[in-house]
Amino acid sequence: MALTAQDITGVVGIIPTPSIPGADRWDVENSVDLDAAAKLADDMVRGGVDVLMTNGTFGECAALTWPETEAFVATVVDAIEGRIPVFAGATTLNTRETIRRARRLEEIGADGAFVGRPMWLPLDSKGIVRFYRDLCEAVPNLPVVIYDNPGAFKGKISAAAYEQLSKIPQVVASKHLGLLGGAAFFDDLRAVNGRIRLLPLESDWYYLSRLFPDDVRACWSGNVACGPAPVVRLKELISEERWAECQQLTHELQDALEPLYPNGDFPEFLKYSIQLDNAQFRSAGFLQTGPTRPPYINVPEDYLEGARAAGRRWAELEARYQTSSLETKGTS
Amino acid sequence: MALTAQDITGVVGIIPTPSIPGADRWDVENSVDLDAAAKLADDMVRGGVDVLMTNGTFGECAALTWPETEAFVATVVDAIEGRIPVFAGATTLNTRETIRRARRLEEIGADGAFVGRPMWLPLDSKGIVRFYRDLCEAVPNLPVVIYDNPGAFKGKISAAAYEQLSKIPQVVASKHLGLLGGAAFFDDLRAVNGRIRLLPLESDWYYLSRLFPDDVRACWSGNVACGPAPVVRLKELISEERWAECQQLTHELQDALEPLYPNGDFPEFLKYSIQLDNAQFRSAGFLQTGPTRPPYINVPEDYLEGARAAGRRWAELEARYQTSSLETKGTS
Amino acid sequence: MALTAQDITGVVGIIPTPSIPGADRWDVENSVDLDAAAKLADDMVRGGVDVLMTNGTFGECAALTWPETEAFVATVVDAIEGRIPVFAGATTLNTRETIRRARRLEEIGADGAFVGRPMWLPLDSKGIVRFYRDLCEAVPNLPVVIYDNPGAFKGKISAAAYEQLSKIPQVVASKHLGLLGGAAFFDDLRAVNGRIRLLPLESDWYYLSRLFPDDVRACWSGNVACGPAPVVRLKELISEERWAECQQLTHELQDALEPLYPNGDFPEFLKYSIQLDNAQFRSAGFLQTGPTRPPYINVPEDYLEGARAAGRRWAELEARYQTSSLETKGTS
Amino acid sequence: MALTAQDITGVVGIIPTPSIPGADRWDVENSVDLDAAAKLADDMVRGGVDVLMTNGTFGECAALTWPETEAFVATVVDAIEGRIPVFAGATTLNTRETIRRARRLEEIGADGAFVGRPMWLPLDSKGIVRFYRDLCEAVPNLPVVIYDNPGAFKGKISAAAYEQLSKIPQVVASKHLGLLGGAAFFDDLRAVNGRIRLLPLESDWYYLSRLFPDDVRACWSGNVACGPAPVVRLKELISEERWAECQQLTHELQDALEPLYPNGDFPEFLKYSIQLDNAQFRSAGFLQTGPTRPPYINVPEDYLEGARAAGRRWAELEARYQTSSLETKGTS
């Protein structure tokens, strides 16, 4: 039975695509470390992640070849063994290619598709709605999570477009900017009116779930690839309405991530997010991965050092909350 | 023998990809009107275009499937019969896919590749240079024209990057913004120092060729798809240094194009350039084409009317200069 | 005794500067309707506003002559009779002129100054901190409310600058963008650490006061010039933690303001905010005012109609909550 | 008899406002070094500058008090003794204050006013035209040079606005961005149709005067404050149509200015242009001046070093062309 918005609850982890040494060369052929991918996927489930998504920005949807993506998604699906839903990335440069890929991902066993719109030109609200309607008409049984990333796709999805999108039954959620996008989260939440799940960042989750407990019942996190324990801990604290601890942990997450943004400049981070996020993951040491694929390889060395620091800081949180979760959970 | 910058001289025409009725549907399979494509290519040669490029922005590089692009380029190459060089578009979301396509285009018979960089994230100067170096290393006999489009590729190529790029022997030219990019053309021209051809818009060509007669010996034009006679006429006037007539014709071109830009707002035009350029082409009536492919379909109706007006205006210029060229050329 | 952050609690109303007929002419000399100003100030106190600020953007700090500002502030101060604090606007093009004005406003009887930084060039964090330090050193007994308006002053005040600014004892508050500025409010709140009051918009107040009850104890509102009852009602609901009613009223405020933003485009609104806000005020009918002063006169007619609709909608809320407040308060 | 566009020919020098030591303090009272100002003005005339303008951005129109500006302009006017026209800056935050200042500058003896529009909010085309019409109606005998600076005044003057502005008889010229603004110069030039003089930067002058010899007969230069000889030399070369030498000298000017722009980033330069331009002037040593006034004081140290290098490079050009001009002019 198809997934609905109600099934998107808890921590939606977005994972990178582990690479082999030499993955940064133009002549690499199979750049995915499938063993590391299987382990990472399994670690996500065992660590408490509730929903998995693949092949967003730092998951290198852009830089993978399609055969690599197929192999990676198949590996992840196999490793998950149906324990949690998997939404696989299918963003491309056009409607028909996204449809082709979504169909294939469905065959491979993905539970849904995680899809941003084509980005050569921006699309206006009408164009965005038509794109997702076309996709859902073409692949009528596949649940879809919208990828709302203004930098990648050259514009924010408007509240008016969200209202229309939320009425497409297959659309179950949207990976949202959260508070980074300002008041838009509030407007968009009102526009979708509970029909789809808007996912804020894990570091905004406490705030928004406290204000909208019925609606904001899930967050997305890429930092789970540095270790899922801090975010899973946050989920527990939110469910128990331990607000002071939620605030404290939220501050800890922010402090860990602070050096990821070069001189605190978020737009500057976005220019290199593939390279920096993966450097953070490597540094945290939770997963095994090599270099990023071409063309997203270069990054100023001082930016890189910040990303590595963020990874080390998160690893400390992982160590702390892995233990505390064990204590909390007792022998479970 | 491989083409060099010296071979890129005169009018570099960039053509759209003619479509069949229903090409705007997500379930269309072969959306290219190959007969119209062959006729268009032939008309370009017969009309005086000196170099042909395909599958840029309005040529729907993004929205075509790869099999469609292959069939289209093969058809164009066949129709041209080697009379002029053909650079086929090979822009994709990553280095390796662009390499794969460029190799295949070479097999099909394209004389070179017309390539923009991947656009999910912006690339800095180092990343841009590495991308083109990787491409040229991988396809070592294929001449390359760079596609410098800040809107599509999230940033202008810097003068420093141009200096490096111009030293890659396979790179022969760059489709440039011309004066729309301000003083950058001047800086970039100095940086490439004659090693590659920088191509301005046809409506800037007179100005820049008068100032830099040795360097600016070619322009690019998409408006040739509304009829090449005005731009070919401009080429003649420039070669004869008939400056007052160059200025007059330049103003005529600008006046014809003026309604293409909604309320004179160029950035607003860029949001819909695929749809608007193709509406202009349809309205001019020089070529046969249907709707644009998904997702680039929607466009505000009043913008569309402006594009159609621009097409009609250009058709008038085509009629005028087709005749005058005949008169000028006499019995040739 | 000087005001502190603790004194900035409740509704901080920002008022326009009522004008006489013909105030839009370049040869008008005394454009301020002082009687209307006195009545407006008194109505604010009687309506429940807790702190008053003057001469921000829509209060036409820019377009008033200095003698007009002096007369206006003197009138307001007299009308208030010390019942609530008055912060008078003293934004100019340079540090020394702002100091001169702030000194004079202190003499006139203002309780504090409401000051944005000079805007010919943007100022970086260091420059912003130095500007406010210079001001406070020069006028050492005058409390200051910072005006943080990225559009007017060419940039957002950073969290790092806020940390420094909050340590200047005279700085008591900042008129903030609230959620419009995204996650910045959260970062800035953490940076000031309770030392100064960050003021969100009234339409964000419920959210932020629920999350940060100890810190977000005041909001700013210009819409009080359309009638203060809705915002005063919100204050009561917040103080009683009637969250569902807070949410409901917040939605009512948003719905009333919705047509103020042309086609929902907030940046477009900002281009004409002086003209549009004052048209809203005139339409609401709570206060008496004429046209805006030069050069902020022109505005597209359809934008104007939206502003008038917003005024009418707010007037309906005013009518509703004026009554309900009376009922609530009973014989008080 | 009033000046017309025809009188604006040659080098339009824009000068800084020399300061005394301690001018960066908030409590400085008379920050202008009037002796240095008189000498600078005289040096401009003697060095070959044809028209003088004061109190633009780096001339610290924003940061001077009005009494300082009055004293400075009076000093300059006295020093010039009518040898060349002087346009004094009168940009303020509103129409009426600019009128007041323009009237006073006329009394002091300025030949015209150099005026940018108020900048708290942007003005649209209609608002811009109304502002300059109001000014000219109020001060009907004063010639006006428009200050078209998109960064300072929050937007570029459109071609449509230029058409209207050029029909106001008192408007004689506009300080334009030149090629930095891209194709706009070409559109604006066509729109004004010879009725007013559009002034490009000195480093664009050769290009534009060669293309439009009847129209582009003057340039503006702030670098004359590092020594006017290079720009005066360029004027001579242009008038003699020695194009190759024009190109060579243009490249020399560009090379001298190159380190002024931090890492080649022009927008970054604009954030600190007051501080950087004046640092360049100090370093060149042609004039005597102290620090800039508050609040435009801070600037990153490495940016400052670039500005100083640009000053030193220009000083070398000054030395070279001062000599060469003498040689050229022989005994004149």
Side-chain angles (χ1 to χ4, degrees):
Chain A
M1 205 182 68
L3 296 164
T4 71
Q6 300 310 313
D7 297 306
I8 312 300
T9 302
V11 178
V12 178
I14 314 185
I15 54 170
T17 307
S19 66
I20 59 169
D24 54 346
R25 292 183 50 91
W26 62 260
D27 57 358
V28 68
E29 292 221 0
N30 294 300
S31 71
V32 184
D33 183 335
L34 294 176
D35 291 338
K39 180 173 188 313
L40 174 62
D42 185 61
D43 283 345
M44 291 294 104
V45 183
R46 297 163 63 95
V49 164
D50 300 288
V51 176
L52 205 69
M53 303 212 296
T54 73
N55 303 294
T57 298
F58 64 72
E60 296 180 80
C61 186
L64 292 169
T65 64
W66 174 233
E68 287 173 345
T69 305
E70 282 182 296
F72 170 66
V73 173
T75 298
V76 168
V77 166
D78 284 355
I80 294 295
E81 291 184 313
R83 289 173 289 173
I84 60 173
V86 178
F87 289 79
T91 302
T92 73
L93 283 175
N94 73 68
T95 305
R96 293 182 291 161
E97 177 67 8
T98 284
I99 288 171
R100 192 181 72 81
R101 292 194 177 192
R103 284 175 172 158
R104 180 72 189 124
L105 293 171
E106 190 178 26
E107 288 171 7
I108 289 171
D111 301 284
F114 170 39
V115 179
R117 57 198 190 269
M119 77 208 69
W120 190 298
L121 291 193
L123 285 177
D124 65 13
S125 292
K126 213 168 164 181
I128 290 170
V129 173
R130 178 162 181 165
F131 168 74
Y132 283 104
R133 280 204 185 125
D134 280 357
L135 170 62
C136 290
E137 191 178 319
V139 199
N141 296 313
L142 195 67
V144 170
V145 174
I146 291 169
Y147 190 1
D148 186 5
N149 180 323
F153 308 121
K154 299 182 176 167
K156 174 79 185 69
I157 298 178
S158 69
Y162 263 119
E163 189 184 354
Q164 297 298 313
L165 292 168
S166 70
K167 293 176 178 167
I168 303 173
Q170 282 165 260
V171 174
V172 296
S174 173
K175 176 186 174 291
H176 200 280
L177 276 181
L179 289 171
L180 277 174
F185 189 89
F186 296 77
D187 295 339
D188 297 345
L189 199 68
R190 203 177 167 197
V192 305
N193 197 22
R195 287 181 295 263
I196 68 173
R197 189 75 78 210
L198 295 191
L199 306 172
L201 274 157
E202 85 278 273
S203 49
D204 299 336
W205 193 22
Y206 150 58
Y207 302 125
L208 294 165
S209 69
R210 184 170 177 185
L211 293 175
F212 306 102
D214 296 335
D215 288 332
V216 185
R217 297 180 55 204
C219 75
W220 69 266
S221 175
N223 295 303
V224 291
C226 299
V231 188
V232 171
R233 177 66 178 162
L234 182 63
K235 177 177 70 168
E236 296 166 1
L237 294 174
I238 287 172
S239 77
E240 298 171 18
E241 300 192 2
R242 293 156 70 175
W243 301 134
E245 288 165 87
C246 285
Q247 178 66 82
Q248 171 62 25
L249 179 49
T250 293
H251 281 167
E252 289 174 10
L253 300 180
Q254 290 169 340
D255 291 343
L257 297 173
E258 185 268 334
L260 185 58
Y261 311 112
N263 306 310
D265 186 340
F266 190 71
E268 192 66 16
F269 161 76
L270 288 180
K271 294 183 192 168
Y272 297 95
S273 68
I274 293 174
Q275 297 97 310
L276 294 174
D277 280 334
N278 281 284
Q280 178 199 6
F281 300 151
R282 273 193 301 276
S283 167
F286 184 86
L287 69 89
Q288 173 67 34
T289 189
T292 48
R293 286 90 175 171
Y296 299 115
I297 299 170
N298 299 294
V299 56
E301 179 58 31
D302 54 330
Y303 292 12
L304 209 50
E305 189 41 55
R308 290 184 196 123
R312 290 188 297 268
R313 291 187 187 185
W314 194 282
E316 288 171 26
L317 292 182
E318 173 68 14
R320 183 182 316 160
Y321 288 105
Q322 211 170 22
T323 311
S324 88
S325 289
L326 288 174
E327 284 169 355
T328 302
K329 291 182 186 170
T331 57
S332 74
Chain B
M1 204 182 68
L3 296 165
T4 71
Q6 300 310 315
D7 297 305
I8 312 300
T9 303
V11 177
V12 178
I14 313 184
I15 54 170
T17 307
S19 67
I20 60 169
D24 54 346
R25 292 182 51 90
W26 62 259
D27 57 358
V28 68
E29 293 221 0
N30 294 301
S31 71
V32 185
D33 183 336
L34 293 175
D35 291 339
K39 181 173 188 311
L40 174 61
D42 185 60
D43 284 346
M44 291 294 103
V45 184
R46 297 164 63 94
V49 164
D50 300 288
V51 176
L52 205 68
M53 303 213 295
T54 72
N55 302 294
T57 299
F58 64 72
E60 295 180 80
C61 185
L64 292 169
T65 64
W66 174 233
E68 287 174 346
T69 304
E70 283 182 295
F72 170 66
V73 173
T75 299
V76 168
V77 166
D78 284 354
I80 294 296
E81 291 183 313
R83 289 173 289 174
I84 60 174
V86 178
F87 289 80
T91 304
T92 73
L93 282 175
N94 73 68
T95 304
R96 292 181 293 160
E97 176 68 9
T98 284
I99 288 171
R100 193 181 70 80
R101 291 194 178 193
R103 284 175 172 159
R104 180 72 189 125
L105 292 170
E106 190 177 25
E107 289 171 8
I108 289 171
D111 302 285
F114 170 41
V115 179
R117 58 199 188 267
M119 77 208 70
W120 189 299
L121 291 193
L123 285 177
D124 65 12
S125 292
K126 212 166 163 180
I128 291 170
V129 172
R130 178 162 180 165
F131 168 73
Y132 283 105
R133 279 202 185 127
D134 280 357
L135 170 63
C136 290
E137 190 178 320
V139 199
N141 297 311
L142 195 67
V144 170
V145 174
I146 291 169
Y147 190 2
D148 186 5
N149 180 323
F153 308 120
K154 299 182 176 167
K156 174 80 187 68
I157 298 178
S158 68
Y162 264 119
E163 189 183 354
Q164 297 298 313
L165 292 168
S166 70
K167 293 176 178 168
I168 304 173
Q170 282 165 261
V171 174
V172 296
S174 173
K175 176 185 174 290
H176 200 279
L177 275 181
L179 290 171
L180 277 174
F185 190 88
F186 296 77
D187 295 339
D188 296 346
L189 198 68
R190 201 176 169 198
V192 304
N193 196 22
R195 287 180 295 264
I196 68 172
R197 189 77 77 209
L198 295 191
L199 305 172
L201 274 157
E202 85 278 273
S203 49
D204 298 335
W205 192 21
Y206 150 58
Y207 301 125
L208 294 165
S209 67
R210 183 169 176 186
L211 294 174
F212 306 102
D214 296 336
D215 287 333
V216 186
R217 296 181 53 205
C219 76
W220 69 268
S221 175
N223 295 303
V224 293
C226 299
V231 187
V232 171
R233 177 66 178 162
L234 182 63
K235 178 177 68 169
E236 296 165 1
L237 293 174
I238 287 172
S239 76
E240 298 171 19
E241 300 191 4
R242 292 156 70 175
W243 302 133
E245 288 165 88
C246 285
Q247 178 67 81
Q248 170 63 24
L249 178 49
T250 293
H251 281 166
E252 288 173 11
L253 300 179
Q254 289 169 340
D255 291 343
L257 296 173
E258 186 269 334
L260 186 58
Y261 310 111
N263 307 309
D265 186 341
F266 190 71
E268 190 67 16
F269 161 76
L270 288 179
K271 294 183 193 168
Y272 297 95
S273 68
I274 294 174
Q275 299 96 311
L276 293 174
D277 281 333
N278 281 283
Q280 179 198 3
F281 300 152
R282 273 194 301 278
S283 167
F286 183 85
L287 70 89
Q288 173 67 33
T289 188
T292 47
R293 285 89 175 172
Y296 300 114
I297 300 169
N298 298 294
V299 56
E301 178 58 30
D302 53 330
Y303 292 12
L304 208 51
E305 189 42 54
R308 289 184 196 123
R312 289 189 298 268
R313 290 187 187 185
W314 193 282
E316 288 172 26
L317 292 182
E318 172 67 15
R320 184 182 315 160
Y321 289 105
Q322 212 171 20
T323 311
S324 86
S325 288
L326 288 175
E327 284 169 356
T328 301
K329 292 181 186 170
T331 57
S332 73
Chain C
M1 206 181 69
L3 296 165
T4 71
Q6 300 309 314
D7 298 305
I8 313 300
T9 303
V11 178
V12 178
I14 313 184
I15 54 170
T17 307
S19 67
I20 60 169
D24 53 346
R25 292 183 49 91
W26 62 260
D27 57 358
V28 68
E29 294 220 0
N30 294 300
S31 72
V32 185
D33 183 336
L34 294 175
D35 291 339
K39 182 174 186 312
L40 174 62
D42 185 61
D43 284 345
M44 290 295 102
V45 184
R46 296 162 64 96
V49 163
D50 300 289
V51 176
L52 205 69
M53 302 212 296
T54 73
N55 303 293
T57 298
F58 64 72
E60 295 180 79
C61 185
L64 292 169
T65 64
W66 175 233
E68 287 173 346
T69 305
E70 282 183 295
F72 170 66
V73 173
T75 298
V76 168
V77 166
D78 283 355
I80 294 296
E81 291 184 312
R83 289 172 289 174
I84 60 174
V86 178
F87 289 79
T91 303
T92 73
L93 283 175
N94 72 68
T95 305
R96 293 182 291 160
E97 177 67 10
T98 284
I99 288 171
R100 193 181 70 81
R101 292 194 177 192
R103 284 174 172 160
R104 180 71 189 127
L105 293 171
E106 190 177 26
E107 288 171 6
I108 289 171
D111 302 285
F114 170 39
V115 180
R117 58 199 189 267
M119 77 207 70
W120 189 299
L121 290 194
L123 285 177
D124 64 13
S125 292
K126 211 167 165 182
I128 291 170
V129 173
R130 177 160 180 167
F131 168 74
Y132 284 104
R133 278 202 186 127
D134 280 356
L135 170 63
C136 290
E137 190 178 320
V139 199
N141 297 311
L142 195 67
V144 170
V145 175
I146 291 169
Y147 190 0
D148 187 5
N149 180 322
F153 309 121
K154 300 182 176 166
K156 175 80 186 69
I157 298 177
S158 68
Y162 264 119
E163 188 183 354
Q164 297 298 313
L165 292 168
S166 70
K167 293 176 178 168
I168 303 173
Q170 282 165 259
V171 174
V172 296
S174 173
K175 177 188 173 290
H176 201 279
L177 276 180
L179 290 171
L180 278 173
F185 189 89
F186 296 76
D187 295 339
D188 296 345
L189 198 68
R190 201 177 169 199
V192 304
N193 197 22
R195 288 181 293 265
I196 68 171
R197 189 76 79 210
L198 295 191
L199 306 172
L201 275 158
E202 85 278 272
S203 49
D204 299 336
W205 192 21
Y206 149 58
Y207 301 124
L208 294 165
S209 68
R210 184 170 175 184
L211 293 175
F212 306 103
D214 297 335
D215 288 333
V216 186
R217 297 181 54 203
C219 75
W220 69 267
S221 174
N223 295 302
V224 291
C226 300
V231 187
V232 171
R233 177 65 179 162
L234 182 63
K235 177 177 67 169
E236 296 166 1
L237 294 174
I238 287 172
S239 77
E240 297 171 18
E241 300 191 3
R242 293 155 71 174
W243 302 133
E245 288 165 87
C246 286
Q247 179 66 84
Q248 171 63 24
L249 179 49
T250 293
H251 281 166
E252 288 173 12
L253 300 180
Q254 290 169 339
D255 292 342
L257 297 173
E258 185 267 336
L260 186 58
Y261 311 112
N263 307 310
D265 186 341
F266 190 71
E268 191 68 15
F269 162 75
L270 288 180
K271 294 183 192 167
Y272 297 95
S273 68
I274 294 174
Q275 297 96 311
L276 293 174
D277 281 334
N278 281 284
Q280 178 199 6
F281 300 152
R282 274 193 301 277
S283 167
F286 183 85
L287 69 89
Q288 173 66 35
T289 189
T292 48
R293 285 88 175 173
Y296 299 114
I297 299 169
N298 299 294
V299 57
E301 179 57 32
D302 53 330
Y303 291 13
L304 209 50
E305 189 42 54
R308 290 185 196 122
R312 289 189 298 269
R313 290 186 186 186
W314 193 282
E316 288 171 26
L317 292 181
E318 172 68 14
R320 184 182 315 159
Y321 289 105
Q322 211 171 22
T323 311
S324 86
S325 289
L326 288 174
E327 283 169 356
T328 301
K329 292 182 185 170
T331 56
S332 74
Chain D
M1 204 182 69
L3 296 164
T4 71
Q6 300 310 315
D7 297 306
I8 312 301
T9 303
V11 177
V12 178
I14 313 185
I15 55 170
T17 307
S19 67
I20 60 169
D24 55 345
R25 291 183 51 88
W26 62 259
D27 57 358
V28 68
E29 293 220 1
N30 294 299
S31 72
V32 185
D33 183 335
L34 294 176
D35 291 338
K39 181 173 187 311
L40 174 61
D42 185 61
D43 284 346
M44 291 294 104
V45 184
R46 297 162 63 94
V49 163
D50 299 288
V51 176
L52 206 69
M53 303 213 295
T54 72
N55 303 294
T57 299
F58 64 71
E60 294 180 80
C61 185
L64 292 170
T65 65
W66 174 234
E68 287 173 345
T69 305
E70 282 182 295
F72 170 66
V73 173
T75 298
V76 168
V77 165
D78 284 355
I80 294 295
E81 292 184 313
R83 289 172 290 173
I84 59 173
V86 178
F87 289 78
T91 303
T92 73
L93 283 175
N94 72 69
T95 304
R96 292 182 293 160
E97 177 67 9
T98 284
I99 288 171
R100 192 181 71 80
R101 292 194 178 192
R103 283 174 172 160
R104 180 69 189 128
L105 293 171
E106 190 177 26
E107 289 171 7
I108 288 171
D111 302 284
F114 170 40
V115 179
R117 57 199 190 267
M119 78 208 70
W120 190 298
L121 291 192
L123 285 177
D124 64 13
S125 292
K126 212 167 163 180
I128 291 170
V129 173
R130 177 159 180 167
F131 168 73
Y132 283 104
R133 278 203 187 125
D134 281 357
L135 170 62
C136 290
E137 191 178 319
V139 200
N141 297 312
L142 196 67
V144 170
V145 174
I146 291 168
Y147 190 1
D148 186 5
N149 180 323
F153 308 121
K154 299 182 177 168
K156 174 79 186 70
I157 298 178
S158 68
Y162 263 119
E163 188 183 355
Q164 298 297 313
L165 292 168
S166 70
K167 293 176 180 167
I168 303 174
Q170 282 165 259
V171 174
V172 296
S174 174
K175 176 184 173 292
H176 200 279
L177 276 180
L179 290 171
L180 278 174
F185 190 88
F186 295 77
D187 295 339
D188 296 346
L189 198 68
R190 201 176 169 199
V192 304
N193 197 22
R195 286 181 295 264
I196 68 173
R197 189 77 77 210
L198 295 191
L199 305 172
L201 275 157
E202 86 278 273
S203 50
D204 299 336
W205 193 20
Y206 149 59
Y207 302 124
L208 293 165
S209 68
R210 182 169 177 187
L211 294 175
F212 307 102
D214 296 335
D215 288 333
V216 185
R217 297 181 51 205
C219 76
W220 69 266
S221 175
N223 296 303
V224 291
C226 299
V231 187
V232 171
R233 177 67 178 161
L234 181 63
K235 177 177 69 168
E236 295 166 1
L237 294 174
I238 288 173
S239 76
E240 297 171 19
E241 300 191 4
R242 292 156 70 175
W243 302 133
E245 288 165 89
C246 286
Q247 178 66 82
Q248 171 62 25
L249 178 49
T250 293
H251 281 166
E252 288 173 10
L253 300 180
Q254 289 169 340
D255 291 343
L257 297 173
E258 185 269 334
L260 185 59
Y261 310 111
N263 307 310
D265 186 340
F266 190 71
E268 191 66 16
F269 161 76
L270 288 180
K271 294 183 192 168
Y272 298 94
S273 67
I274 293 174
Q275 298 96 310
L276 293 175
D277 281 333
N278 281 283
Q280 178 199 6
F281 300 151
R282 273 193 302 278
S283 167
F286 183 85
L287 69 89
Q288 172 67 34
T289 188
T292 48
R293 285 89 175 173
Y296 299 114
I297 299 169
N298 300 294
V299 57
E301 179 58 31
D302 54 331
Y303 292 13
L304 210 49
E305 190 42 55
R308 288 184 197 123
R312 289 190 297 268
R313 290 187 187 184
W314 193 282
E316 288 171 26
L317 292 182
E318 173 67 15
R320 184 182 316 161
Y321 289 104
Q322 210 170 22
T323 312
S324 86
S325 289
L326 287 175
E327 285 169 356
T328 302
K329 291 182 185 169
T331 57
S332 72

